[in-house]
Amino acid sequence: MRKITAKDVAREAGVSVSAVSRAYRGTAPISEGKRKAIFAAATRLGYVSKVDQVLATQATNTIAMVVSEMQNPFYPIAVDEMTRLLPERGLKAIVHVVPSAEDVDTAIRQVLDFRTEGVILANSTLTSGLARACRQNGIPAVLLNRVQTDSRMMAVCCDNYGGAQRVAERFLDAGRKRIAFMGGRRDTSTHLERMRGFRDRLEDAGRVFAQQFDGGFDYRRAYAAAQEMLAQRPLPDAVFCANDIMAIAVLDAARIAGVCVPDDLAVVGFDDIPMAAWESYRLTTVRQPLRRMLDQAVDIILASDGSEEIGDIRILSGEMQVRESG
C-alpha cells in the first residue's frame, strides 16, 4: 500500500504543501479554518506526519483525557482526579481541552497526534466521532459519565437511572406533592437516564411531574428557568435538577425570590461537585463515584487489545449526600 504523503493531504484539502507543513508546526502562521481542513483531510487519508512519528515514541505509559465542557465544574474535577490517579499507577496524563463540542476534527487530530495507551472521553457530546476514530486507529477509548447504544462501546458511568429513582423516593417519603424536574441536554444519556429514573419512580407511585424545565446543564439557562418556575402558582414544593450546577442556580434564584428552601421548595441535584457542600448551598445531591469510575476506565484501557469488536460498559452506584436543601 502506497504511503500517504503531505502532497496527498495538500491535494485533498485544496491547499499547498507548505500550508500542510505549517499546520503541523504549532507556532507557524496559518488560519484556523485552513488548519482544520488540513487535519480533517489527514484524518480521512490516514496520514502520519513526522511530528506524529516523534510523538508516538514519547507517549508510552500515557493515557489521555478529552474534555470540552470546562464551564461545568464536574469536568475540571475529573481532570484533577485523573492527574492524581495516573501517577499512582505508574502512568502519565495528557489532557486535551477542546473549546467547542462541535470541533470534532480538531479533537481527533489532537488525540491521534499522541499514540497513548488509551483515551478517556470526559464530555457529554463530543464522544461519538472521537470514539470511532480512536477504534479505527487501534486506540482504546472509554466514555466517562456517558453511554451509547453500541455493542463495541467501552464506558464507565454512574447509575444515573437508579440515582434519580432514589431522589424521587426521597421526595415521596417527605410527602412532597408538586414535584418538578429540571433537565439538561436532551441529546445526552445523563439527561435521559436521570429523567427516566425520576419519572418512572414517580409513576410507580401514581404521580407525574408537576412541571418540567430545561436548564441545559448550564448555570445561566438554569437560573432563567428557575425564575420561570418560581413565578408559577401554585409553586412546586420540590425540584430534582439533573446536575448540581443547575440546582445551585435554583438555590440562588430561590434566595433572591424569597422562597424558603427546603420548607417551601426542596432542591436536590446530581454529581456532588465541591460547591454542593459550601455553606451557602448545603445541597442534597447524588454523589458520583468519580475516583472509582476513573480507576475502572484505566483498567478497561490497560486490558484492551485495541480491537474494534470489544465492548465493556460498567455502571457504578452513586450515593445520596443528604444536606439541608432537600
Side-chain angles (χ1 to χ4, degrees), residues 232-244:
Q232 302 294 315
R233 294 296 180 270
L235 181 73
D237 60 8
V239 59
F240 169 44
C241 301
N243 79 349
D244 284 350

Side-chain angles (χ1 to χ4, degrees), residues 169-183:
E169 288 169 3
R170 183 170 180 79
F171 287 158
L172 292 169
D173 291 345
R176 302 288 175 169
K177 303 296 184 185
R178 298 180 303 281
I179 300 173
F181 173 71
M182 184 174 291

Side-chain angles (χ1 to χ4, degrees), residues 47 92 243 253 270 273 303 313:
Y47 173 64
K92 296 173 287 187
N243 79 349
F270 205 113
I273 62 176
I313 296 177

Side-chain angles (χ1 to χ4, degrees), residues 79-95:
V79 170
D80 180 70
E81 194 66 52
M82 188 191 77
T83 58
R84 296 171 187 270
L85 167 68
L86 292 185
E88 295 173 9
R89 301 190 59 168
L91 298 164
K92 296 173 287 187
I94 296 175
V95 178

Side-chain angles (χ1 to χ4, degrees), residues 242-272:
N243 79 349
D244 284 350
I245 202 66
M246 295 191 298
I248 285 169
V250 171
L251 292 174
D252 284 343
R255 182 173 59 252
I256 291 171
V259 173
C260 183
V261 175
D263 294 344
D264 298 330
L265 176 69
V267 181
V268 176
F270 205 113
D271 288 340
D272 197 30

Side-chain angles (χ1 to χ4, degrees), residues 62-68 75 78-79 81-83 85-86 89 91-96 111 116-123 127 130-131 134 139-145 154-156 290-291 293-301:
T62 299
I63 289 179
M65 176 179 276
V66 180
V67 290
S68 68
Y75 292 105
V79 170
E81 194 66 52
M82 188 191 77
T83 58
L85 167 68
L86 292 185
R89 301 190 59 168
L91 298 164
K92 296 173 287 187
I94 296 175
V95 178
H96 301 286
V111 171
T116 61
E117 304 287 344
V119 182
I120 297 173
L121 302 175
N123 53 75
T127 51
L130 258 177
C134 288
I139 302 173
V142 180
L143 308 188
L144 183 76
N145 196 34
M154 299 188 292
V156 180
L290 183 56
R291 174 79 177 203
M293 290 163 63
L294 288 166
D295 237 336
Q296 295 211 18
V298 173
D299 288 343
I300 291 172
I301 287 170

Side-chain angles (χ1 to χ4, degrees), residues 288-326:
Q288 295 212 55
L290 183 56
R291 174 79 177 203
R292 289 196 295 125
M293 290 163 63
L294 288 166
D295 237 336
Q296 295 211 18
V298 173
D299 288 343
I300 291 172
I301 287 170
L302 297 181
S304 174
D305 62 1
S307 168
E308 287 197 47
E309 304 306 319
I310 293 176
D312 189 348
I313 296 177
R314 304 183 187 184
I315 310 296
L316 307 183
S317 295
E319 180 183 355
M320 184 72 74
Q321 299 299 301
V322 177
R323 302 188 181 99
E324 282 76 15
S325 72

